[in-house]
């Protein structure tokens, strides 16, 4: 069982920055892949970024070069740094975890944190 709790969302002007955090609770020795998805109003939930235990990261094309995913294994925390934000980045951002590649399916979801970017 994995529990995920997001924080750090809010309202920001276009061009601004935010940092999202996700506290990860898992059984000792359980290996999961973790990352972020987002869901804009009226749209499907889509992949944003993921990171492996070794630190290798993958990004959606729409956020590459603007968002940075990182993790602090000692604190069991996942981060997403959002820079150069655009109104189209407005969405609920979800932390996600799975034993396999997140893009193949997500086993665990957080409750989400709202990011709103004003123009």
């Amino acid at each position: 069982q994995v529990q995920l709790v997001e924080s750090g969302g809010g309202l920001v002007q276009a061009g601004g920055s935010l940092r999202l955090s996700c506290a990860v609770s898992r059984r000792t020795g359980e290996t999961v892949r973790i990352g972020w998805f987002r869901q804009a109003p009226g749209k499907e939930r889509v992949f944003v970024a993921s990171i492996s235990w070794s630190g290798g990261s993958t990004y959606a094309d729409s956020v590459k070069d603007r968002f940075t995913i990182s993790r602090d294994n000692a604190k069991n925390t996942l981060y997403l740094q959002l820079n150069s934000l655009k109104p189209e980045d407005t969405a609920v951002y979800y932390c996600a975890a799975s034993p396999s590649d997140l893009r193949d399916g997500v086993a665990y979801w957080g409750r989400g944190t709202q990011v709103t970017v004003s123009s």
Side-chain angles (χ1 to χ4, degrees), residues 12-101:
V12 62
Q13 289 186 333
S17 298
L18 282 173
R19 189 176 80 156
L20 307 183
S21 300
C22 174
V24 181
S25 299
R26 61 184 176 90
R27 289 191 298 260
T28 301
E30 182 175 16
T31 300
V32 292
R33 302 189 185 192
I34 53 176
W36 295 91
F37 284 67
R38 67 185 182 184
Q39 187 167 17
K43 297 188 177 180
E44 294 184 351
R45 194 173 299 186
V46 297
F47 173 81
V48 174
S50 64
I51 188 167
S52 69
W53 287 108
S54 64
S57 56
T58 304
Y59 296 93
D61 288 342
S62 60
V63 306
K64 201 174 295 183
D65 299 327
R66 298 189 299 122
F67 292 4
T68 302
I69 190 170
S70 61
R71 64 195 300 164
D72 185 330
N73 291 335
K75 295 182 178 179
N76 289 320
T77 302
L78 175 70
Y79 301 100
L80 186 67
Q81 179 68 40
L82 292 67
N83 295 330
S84 302
L85 282 162
K86 306 175 182 179
E88 52 263 43
D89 294 317
T90 295
V92 178
Y93 284 71
Y94 295 91
C95 187
S98 180
S100 57
D101 192 319

